[in-house]
């Protein structure tokens, strides 16, 4: 029997829309610690507190956005939150103090959290059922390409425009608006809200069957939060790598892309646990390498290895959440994995900043590596067996 068409027009639109969400996001994230340090003379702890607010706000909105996406017309929800996500970029341009910038940065987490939940759920809706597992894996490539291009473009623009961060914020606003225009043309079946249709319960806000996977994901996200937030300033201050942030994230993204492409065959055969196992083992090696080898080789080599691991691990875990949920809880399943990720990134950003300030970057990155080991142990002792026992598809 011939397979259904994977790359239909609606899937392409939401794929590109997700790319622009993440491109506009990654364009500024790696350079924000430098921006806060140079523009507002913020120390490491203050930088951690300022940037953690974004993840905290995204974390708070995720469970509610999953419920909203499962209840109200998804296209309207997506458009509303996407527009709000675009608008707040203007606040970065207008912010004239650290306090005002922190307010806008924190508020930005809410529409970002809700938009990514809505977008990933719409992507699942427009995929043919016989290509869904594979399509979820390819959907993540839009994130990876954004991660590859964003930091490189940011470094280039910062140099071309004389170190002005305002142009970065403006460019993020423009690219986000391009994505908004694309997703507004998606065609979805009408889904009306029916009062009394759903019983409001905890499982409507967080997928209870996914809590083991959520614990593992939180540990992995903690590690990534520490690494992604402080890698630029660490490279500049301790390794003398002033222009290597773009290369670091490009290598990370290349690893992510290659592993997603190589892992797509296994996902097509529904070998979810296999991909997850490969991913977590590769990732933990990368974090240990980054912490142990304080040199350009460890810096760049770990980037590629962590990318390879996360490219196998993340789509496998997303499929775990989806396969543990009934069809009417797809939004909740997506919000649950993203809630776990945001919680880990936020905690990692905050604790990483405190450790870097008082004990140095070495302590922060070793903490990230140890937390990753904890996540791997939990995966092998609890998460994998729980998924195989309870999966619905």
């Amino acid at each position: 029997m011939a397979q259904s068409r994977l790359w239909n027009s609606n899937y392409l639109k939401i794929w590109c829309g997700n790319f622009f969400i993440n491109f506009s996001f990654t364009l500024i994230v790696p350079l924000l610690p430098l921006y806060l340090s140079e523009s507002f003379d913020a120390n490491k702890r203050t930088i951690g507190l300022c940037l953690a607010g974004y993840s905290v706000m995204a974390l708070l909105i995720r469970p509610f956005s999953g419920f909203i996406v499962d209840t109200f017309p998804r296209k309207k929800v997506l458009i509303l939150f996407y527009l709000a996500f675009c608008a707040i970029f203007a606040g970065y341009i207008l912010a004239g103090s650290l306090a005002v910038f922190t307010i806008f940065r924190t508020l930005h987490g809410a529409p970002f959290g809700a938009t990514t939940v809505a977008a990933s759920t719409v992507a699942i809706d427009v995929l043919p059922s016989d290509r869904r597992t594979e399509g979820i894996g390819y959907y993540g490539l839009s994130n990876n390409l954004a991660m590859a291009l964003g930091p490189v473009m940011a470094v280039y623009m910062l140099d071309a425009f004389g170190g002005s961060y305002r142009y970065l914020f403006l460019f993020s606003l423009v690219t986000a608006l391009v994505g908004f225009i694309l997703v507004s043309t998606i065609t979805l079946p009408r889904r009306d809200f029916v009062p009394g249709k759903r019983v409001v319960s905890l499982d409507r806000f967080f997928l209870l069957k996914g809590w083991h996977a959520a614990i593992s994901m939180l540990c992995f996200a903690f590690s990534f939060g520490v690494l992604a937030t402080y890698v630029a300033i660490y490279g500049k201050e301790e390794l003398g790598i002033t222009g290597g942030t773009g290369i670091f994230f490009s290598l990370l993204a290349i690893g992510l892309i290659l592993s997603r492409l190589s892992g797509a065959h296994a996902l097509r055969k529904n070998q979810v646990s296999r991909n997850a196992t490969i991913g977590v083992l590769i990732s933990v090696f990368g974090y240990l390498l980054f912490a142990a080898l304080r040199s350009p080789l460890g810096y760049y080599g770990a980037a590629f290895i962590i990318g390879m691991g996360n490219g196998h691990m993340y789509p496998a875990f997303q499929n775990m959440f989806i396969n543990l949920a009934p069809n009417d809880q797809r939004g909740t399943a997506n919000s649950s994995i993203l809630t776990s990720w945001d919680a880990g990134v936020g905690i990692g950003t905050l604790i990483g900043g405190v450790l870097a300030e008082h004990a140095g970057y070495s302590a922060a990155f070793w903490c990230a590596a140890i937390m990753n080991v904890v996540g791997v142990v939990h995966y092998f002792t609890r998460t994998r067996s729980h998924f195989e026992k309870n999966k619905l598809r």
Side-chain angles (χ1 to χ4, degrees), residues 186-199:
I186 292 173
T187 302
L188 288 178
R190 184 179 177 84
R191 298 177 69 252
D192 293 319
F193 172 60
V194 180
K197 179 182 177 181
R198 299 180 183 277
V199 176

Side-chain angles (χ1 to χ4, degrees), residues 118-135:
S120 57
T121 307
V122 167
I124 294 169
D125 285 345
V126 300
L127 281 167
S129 58
D130 61 331
R131 308 293 297 275
R132 186 169 293 139
T133 303
E134 178 187 5

Side-chain angles (χ1 to χ4, degrees), residues 163-216:
S164 174
Y165 289 90
R166 289 180 179 270
Y167 286 101
L168 289 181
F169 301 145
L170 179 60
F171 193 65
S172 289
L173 171 60
V174 171
T175 53
L177 285 171
V178 172
F180 170 76
I181 293 170
L182 275 173
V183 301
S184 66
T185 64
I186 292 173
T187 302
L188 288 178
R190 184 179 177 84
R191 298 177 69 252
D192 293 319
F193 172 60
V194 180
K197 179 182 177 181
R198 299 180 183 277
V199 176
V200 178
S201 62
L202 179 60
D203 204 38
R204 287 296 176 186
F205 297 95
F206 189 89
L207 189 68
L208 296 181
K209 286 202 300 183
W211 73 277
H212 277 301
I215 291 173
S216 293

Side-chain angles (χ1 to χ4, degrees), residues 41 131 137 145 162 220 236 290 327 377:
D41 197 28
R131 308 293 297 275
L145 287 173
F220 302 145
K236 180 180 179 180
F290 189 90
N327 289 339
V377 171

Side-chain angles (χ1 to χ4, degrees), residues 177-359:
L177 285 171
V178 172
F180 170 76
I181 293 170
L182 275 173
V183 301
S184 66
T185 64
I186 292 173
T187 302
L188 288 178
R190 184 179 177 84
R191 298 177 69 252
D192 293 319
F193 172 60
V194 180
K197 179 182 177 181
R198 299 180 183 277
V199 176
V200 178
S201 62
L202 179 60
D203 204 38
R204 287 296 176 186
F205 297 95
F206 189 89
L207 189 68
L208 296 181
K209 286 202 300 183
W211 73 277
H212 277 301
I215 291 173
S216 293
M217 182 58 66
L218 186 145
C219 294
F220 302 145
F222 178 100
S223 304
F224 190 80
V226 176
L227 189 78
T229 303
Y230 300 105
V231 67
I233 197 166
Y234 159 72
K236 180 180 179 180
E237 292 185 359
E238 298 205 3
L239 300 181
I241 302 173
T242 56
T245 305
I247 299 174
F248 177 92
F249 281 96
S250 293
L251 288 171
L252 181 73
I254 290 170
L256 284 163
I257 292 167
L258 290 176
S259 60
R260 282 188 185 265
L261 291 174
S262 63
H265 180 71
L267 290 179
R268 192 180 305 131
K269 294 184 175 181
N270 210 28
Q271 295 174 338
V272 175
S273 294
R274 174 184 177 275
N275 265 27
T277 299
I278 293 172
V280 300
L281 290 175
I282 295 175
S283 291
V284 73
F285 175 71
Y287 282 105
L288 289 169
L289 177 66
F290 189 90
L293 194 59
R294 298 168 61 80
S295 69
L297 178 61
Y299 186 87
Y300 293 121
F304 180 76
I305 294 169
I306 291 169
M308 286 289 293
N310 282 5
H312 279 293
M313 177 269 293
Y314 192 90
F317 269 76
Q318 187 173 14
N319 272 293
M320 283 184 178
F321 278 89
I322 296 299
N323 291 345
L324 288 169
N327 289 339
D328 64 347
Q329 286 187 271
R330 287 175 181 169
T332 302
N334 278 312
S335 71
S336 296
I337 184 173
L338 291 169
T339 296
S340 307
W341 183 262
D342 288 336
V345 169
I347 297 170
T349 299
L350 186 60
I351 294 179
V354 173
L355 287 173
E357 180 73 20
H358 296 287

Side-chain angles (χ1 to χ4, degrees), residues 100-112:
V100 174
F101 182 89
T102 301
I103 290 171
F104 279 116
R105 183 63 182 167
T106 300
L107 290 175
H108 211 176
F112 177 79

